[in-house]
Amino acid sequence: MAESRRIRIDVPALTRVEGEGSLKLSIEQGQITQLQLSIFEPPRYFEKFLEGRAYHEVPDIVARICGICPVAYQMTAVQALEQAFDFTPSDWVRRMRRLFYCGEWIQSHALHIHLLALPDYLGFDSAIAMAEQYPAQVQRGLELQALGNTIIKLFGGRSVHPVGARVGGFHHAPTDADIKRLNTQLEKARDSARALTNWCAQLPVPQDDDSFINVALKHESEYPLYEGTLAGSDGLSITAQEWEQYFEETHAPHSTALWSLYQGAPYLVGPLARLNLNRERLPAEIADNLNNTGIAFPSRNMFHSMLARAVEIELAIHEALELTAAYSVPERPFDDVIPRAGIGFGATEAPRGLLWHRYETDENGLIKHARIVPPTSQNQARIEQDLHNSLQAFGLEHPDDALRLHCEKVIRNYDPCISCATHFLQLELERQP
Amino acid sequence: MSTTVKPRIAVHKFSSCDGCQLAFLNLGGELIELTRRVDIRHFLEAGLDDPDADVDIAFVEGSLSTQDEIERIHRVRKHSRYLISIGACATSGGLQALRNLDNQHDQWRDAIYAKPEFIKTLNHARPIADEVRVDFELWGCPINSRQLLAAVNSLLFGVPPIEERDKVCMECKRQQRVCVMVTDNKPCLGPVTRTGCGALCPSFGRDCYGCYGPSDNPNTESLSKRFAGLGLMPDAVARRFLMINSAAPAFHDAGLIARSTDTGDGDNG
């Protein structure tokens, strides 16, 4: 009689796609017979309480969806609402939104690499434990995180749920002196970011070769953050308005979070997908350094996600340097918008991947309907698919603890909100005769 | 001194956005310093997983919105000497408590989820103190590192933390900001909102939206009249109070009073 190993893994989880989750894994005769990633998110019903709210309240409300990437939610919402009102922001606003967004990428990526992902690779339970043996590297990571927060604070007053963004622009413009000081800090951080990339490139990662569809924004001249068309590695090229024609959200019985599929199939969003699709948009010096690491992009190894994050920190610092060098205080940091009945779409690149919003407004600018598709729900089907392939490649004969750690590492590559917990996968082993 | 046992702390998360836990994770070098002075036993986001460890101080983020969370908060209480709720979700129920207002939970759930039968949330999202004894509350959406360190430092010195209950207005005046309501007719909640943020919104020329919850003795009635005088329709006045801290009694009541005077017509923007 074949031995059947049934493993139940419980996941206490952390943000919008969060709450409790579990991974059910059944292995029989060296084959995975069941693999279900379930996420039990305590829903907070944002889309419903946005209804009846005035457009100008939306940035403050949607920020609360995620404490780690509030800027992404604010920027996507203002973009969508401005489209609904047929309003085009000034060039200054456009550039400063990009700078504001750079702050969030630096902050979120540095947090993820140092506090969440690296301990896996270096054999520690937590960054706190890792800091004793790698004090300089942890310090460097925390400094980068702080730099990202500094950028967000300049425009938002605080880095979590910043208060500076509004439909039409910003409530407040930083002074020349503040921006000059920031520019100096960015200049100093450039080398740290380069060193981080090179360090991440040297860390041994599992060899993985998986086939998946990458989906990310693409822009004619920029590495995409705040703007672009929606592109896929299969040739997809659409506007945010067309999203609903190609993507659908479904609800699996074993999970409370919505899953989204691209023409019925899983797909990848996030740093690796962005870099795979946009490497030709990297500034030459960053691209050259990346080439010198010997790791080729596009990559089919999900474990290169951490390196992609490090490269994006470099990119964000590079962008922020250019944007701050050319800074000038505008006459007014926003233009007035005239609300009207309309429908608007927004798509931007949150640190974790594509974020899509749709709003319908009435003639007074009150929200009639809202729909928000965050990156983690887009990646969920892909995570399950990846776990399946990756566990098989890793070797199912490994002991339970090794399997659990491997699952955690795979899941953390996606930086889903649930990755916030290390050792979140608790194994319950059942053996059947 | 090396034999001294460090105080043990835990950070727990309930229904929330994780933003208040960042008050720890954004401490930078001070986070490492903090770990020299306290022993962090449980903090999932930082990789420490021991939810049932006995601790001296438990920080609790998030509101109670599922049956499981209610059971879990009792366990946290049992294992903690001192329990501090952090942030709007934990102290007032937070933004998601908007579903409590009109008992709309079931309709909202059915409208969003393809398979509502998979969703097991309670009809109301409630603050931690509704269910267990809370020793101290840090208000704010989100709380900041300064508030957090002030509370931790007080406790390390063996004194109760000082509660900030002043109005945002006081802080704004101390900073010599120009009043956005007086000069710009903006419906600022500063006169009834608890201080602690550093008067961020008025310093950016915008009106406070009450994310730190009600201050001591908030005169919401008078402020509502002022808002009406600025041209806000009753529904717009209600929305000012019914946002981040809609379940905090002072804001809840002011919001409902404004709503009850709504005639249902006019410009609601």
Side-chain angles (χ1 to χ4, degrees):
Chain A
M1 181 124 227
E3 187 184 54
S4 161
R5 211 157 62 129
R6 292 188 63 221
I7 301 167
R8 213 185 98 96
I9 303 176
D10 291 326
V11 191
L14 291 157
T15 70
R16 187 185 184 261
V17 184
E18 63 182 319
E20 294 249 327
S22 68
L23 182 67
K24 280 188 194 157
L25 184 61
S26 300
I27 301 166
E28 283 174 40
Q29 290 180 314
Q31 293 293 318
I32 297 171
T33 52
Q34 189 194 23
L35 191 153
Q36 281 187 338
L37 176 68
S38 316
I39 291 176
F40 302 103
E41 154 205 11
R44 290 183 289 149
Y45 307 109
F46 273 83
E47 283 118 325
K48 291 310 281 185
F49 56 68
L50 280 164
E51 289 175 12
R53 289 279 164 178
Y55 72 92
H56 52 79
E57 297 173 284
V58 175
D60 296 324
I61 293 176
V62 295
R64 269 76 186 178
I65 292 172
C66 177
I68 298 168
C69 53
V71 172
Y73 282 90
Q74 293 188 328
M75 293 298 93
T76 315
V78 296
Q79 191 185 82
L81 288 164
E82 286 167 3
Q83 188 185 69
F85 300 156
D86 194 22
F87 169 92
T88 307
S90 72
D91 190 50
W92 184 89
V93 166
R94 219 199 126 253
R95 282 182 287 120
M96 292 309 114
R97 282 179 176 167
R98 196 167 161 80
L99 177 55
F100 190 40
Y101 221 136
C102 282
E104 183 156 283
W105 273 26
I106 297 168
Q107 169 271 125
S108 176
H109 282 352
L111 174 97
H112 185 265
I113 291 174
H114 296 89
L115 290 167
L116 309 178
L118 269 178
D120 281 348
Y121 293 90
L122 299 174
F124 294 94
D125 281 348
S126 71
I128 294 165
M130 190 172 78
E132 286 175 23
Q133 215 169 315
Y134 293 91
Q137 288 87 344
V138 171
Q139 183 64 28
R140 179 178 68 200
L142 294 175
E143 281 169 10
L144 286 168
Q145 185 193 354
L147 174 64
N149 285 332
T150 300
I151 300 175
I152 303 173
K153 280 184 204 159
L154 273 186
F155 289 90
R158 60 187 175 199
S159 63
V160 182
H161 308 331
V163 302
R166 61 182 286 167
V167 180
F170 287 94
H171 286 284
H172 157 92
T175 63
D176 281 324
D178 283 341
I179 292 289
K180 196 161 269 170
R181 200 163 25 241
L182 172 62
N183 186 272
T184 310
Q185 287 174 277
L186 287 161
E187 196 63 65
K188 282 187 193 146
R190 205 204 279 257
D191 291 344
S192 301
R194 171 62 48 89
L196 176 62
T197 298
N198 294 340
W199 191 46
C200 287
Q202 284 167 20
L203 290 173
V205 295
Q207 285 311 307
D208 217 7
D209 184 40
D210 202 358
S211 139
F212 45 82
I213 297 169
N214 299 278
V215 173
L217 293 183
K218 274 184 111 160
H219 186 275
E220 56 192 16
S221 59
E222 298 168 343
Y223 196 91
L225 282 104
Y226 168 66
E227 280 172 309
T229 52
L230 258 148
S233 52
D234 63 341
L236 174 80
S237 178
I238 57 169
T239 62
Q241 285 95 311
E242 295 169 294
W243 192 87
E244 285 167 308
Q245 292 167 34
Y246 292 83
F247 297 83
E248 57 163 345
E249 280 189 304
T250 60
H251 203 164
H254 60 273
S255 184
T256 65
L258 295 170
W259 294 44
S260 80
L261 296 173
Y262 165 53
Q263 296 186 327
Y267 61 101
L268 176 73
V269 299
L272 186 64
R274 277 196 295 261
L275 186 55
N276 279 344
L277 291 175
N278 290 284
R279 68 194 188 290
E280 74 283 3
R281 294 277 176 270
L282 288 177
E285 60 188 76
I286 297 176
D288 290 347
N289 185 61
L290 182 59
N291 283 338
N292 291 339
T293 64
I295 298 171
F297 287 88
S299 165
R300 286 153 58 103
N301 184 352
M302 272 308 297
F303 291 98
H304 288 146
S305 298
M306 186 163 67
L307 177 60
R309 276 185 195 96
V311 170
E312 288 193 338
I313 291 178
E314 276 196 83
L315 179 272
I317 289 175
H318 177 95
E319 292 287 312
L321 270 166
E322 288 194 345
L323 290 161
T324 49
Y327 184 79
S328 62
V329 178
E331 211 167 295
R332 232 168 47 135
F334 63 91
D335 286 309
D336 292 315
V337 295
I338 301 161
R340 64 169 198 178
I343 296 176
F345 302 83
T348 72
E349 286 289 347
R352 280 150 201 82
L354 185 70
L355 173 58
W356 183 87
H357 289 208
R358 175 191 185 276
Y359 297 95
E360 188 176 347
T361 57
D362 73 7
E363 65 281 10
N364 296 317
L366 298 185
I367 305 302
K368 284 173 77 176
H369 185 263
R371 192 170 167 212
I372 294 169
V373 181
T376 299
S377 77
Q378 300 184 66
N379 271 337
Q380 268 200 98
R382 167 71 202 132
I383 298 174
E384 205 173 88
Q385 185 188 49
D386 186 0
L387 280 168
H388 204 282
N389 301 343
S390 183
L391 277 174
Q392 206 87 49
F394 177 65
L396 299 169
E397 70 284 0
H398 281 89
D400 297 354
D401 274 354
L403 284 185
R404 177 179 51 76
L405 178 63
H406 192 76
C407 289
E408 287 181 358
K409 280 167 100 166
V410 168
I411 294 172
R412 253 192 293 278
N413 281 332
Y414 297 83
D415 190 9
C417 300
I418 59 163
S419 80
C420 296
T422 49
H423 300 315
F424 51 90
L425 297 173
Q426 293 159 11
L427 276 139
E428 251 177 52
L429 181 68
E430 289 173 28
R431 285 180 197 277
Q432 293 186 327
Chain B
M1 285 300 285
S2 60
T3 55
T4 310
V5 177
K6 289 195 283 189
R8 300 154 301 173
I9 70 169
V11 182
H12 294 273
K13 178 207 150 66
F14 289 76
S15 291
S16 65
C17 77
D18 284 37
C20 289
Q21 297 178 55
L22 289 179
F24 286 96
L25 298 182
N26 280 336
L27 280 172
E30 283 180 281
L31 176 63
I32 306 300
E33 173 59 29
L34 183 67
T35 62
R36 294 197 184 101
R37 296 165 63 200
V38 301
D39 181 11
I40 305 178
R41 301 298 300 274
H42 175 77
F43 187 177
L44 280 179
E45 199 163 335
L48 303 158
D49 183 13
D50 190 1
D52 290 327
D54 287 316
V55 296
D56 297 294
I57 314 169
F59 292 91
V60 177
E61 174 196 270
S63 61
L64 303 171
S65 77
T66 66
Q67 188 56 40
D68 165 72
E69 287 182 332
I70 289 177
E71 286 155 23
R72 198 150 58 85
I73 192 63
H74 284 282
R75 285 218 309 279
V76 170
R77 180 66 266 186
K78 206 175 87 193
H79 291 292
S80 314
R81 253 181 57 199
Y82 203 87
L83 191 155
I84 302 182
S85 50
I86 56 171
C89 299
T91 53
S92 81
L95 196 55
Q96 58 268 23
L98 282 168
R99 76 169 182 247
N100 307 3
L101 278 176
D102 304 297
N103 285 314
Q104 298 200 80
H105 172 267
D106 291 359
Q107 293 95 305
W108 287 7
R109 178 197 59 202
D110 296 355
I112 293 180
Y113 289 91
K115 302 272 173 61
E117 62 273 24
F118 303 151
I119 307 289
K120 293 189 176 62
T121 40
L122 299 169
N123 286 344
H124 288 183
R126 296 185 296 129
I128 303 300
D130 256 19
E131 198 62 39
V132 297
R133 179 173 55 83
V134 169
D135 300 295
F136 191 69
E137 293 182 332
L138 286 176
W139 286 70
C141 183
I143 63 157
N144 56 47
S145 300
R146 184 194 58 76
Q147 287 171 282
L148 184 74
L149 284 184
V152 172
N153 285 332
S154 298
L155 290 169
L156 288 179
F157 280 113
V159 295
I162 295 164
E163 195 175 358
E164 295 174 296
R165 294 176 167 185
D166 260 359
K167 299 165 173 67
V168 170
C169 268
M170 307 290 280
E171 173 64 23
C172 203
K173 297 293 166 291
R174 276 195 289 271
Q175 292 183 16
Q176 303 190 328
R177 300 285 175 192
V178 176
C179 178
V180 297
M181 184 148 60
V182 170
T183 62
D184 219 5
N185 292 330
K186 290 184 176 161
C188 185
L189 281 171
V192 297
T193 298
R194 191 186 279 249
T195 188
C197 63
L200 288 180
C201 287
S203 76
F204 273 19
R206 67 174 292 198
D207 38 338
C208 163
Y209 58 94
C211 71
Y212 269 62
S215 64
D216 249 358
N217 302 314
N219 191 344
T220 52
E221 192 186 338
S222 170
L223 189 64
S224 295
K225 283 187 191 142
R226 181 82 187 100
F227 285 176
L230 296 174
L232 265 68
M233 297 303 288
D235 179 53
V237 175
R239 289 201 315 268
R240 295 300 292 157
F241 291 107
L242 303 176
M243 196 154 109
I244 309 282
N245 289 287
S246 67
F251 286 2
H252 175 262
D253 296 351
L256 292 197
I257 289 167
R259 267 181 170 195
S260 69
T261 58
D262 197 354
T263 53
D265 52 28
D267 175 6
N268 289 325

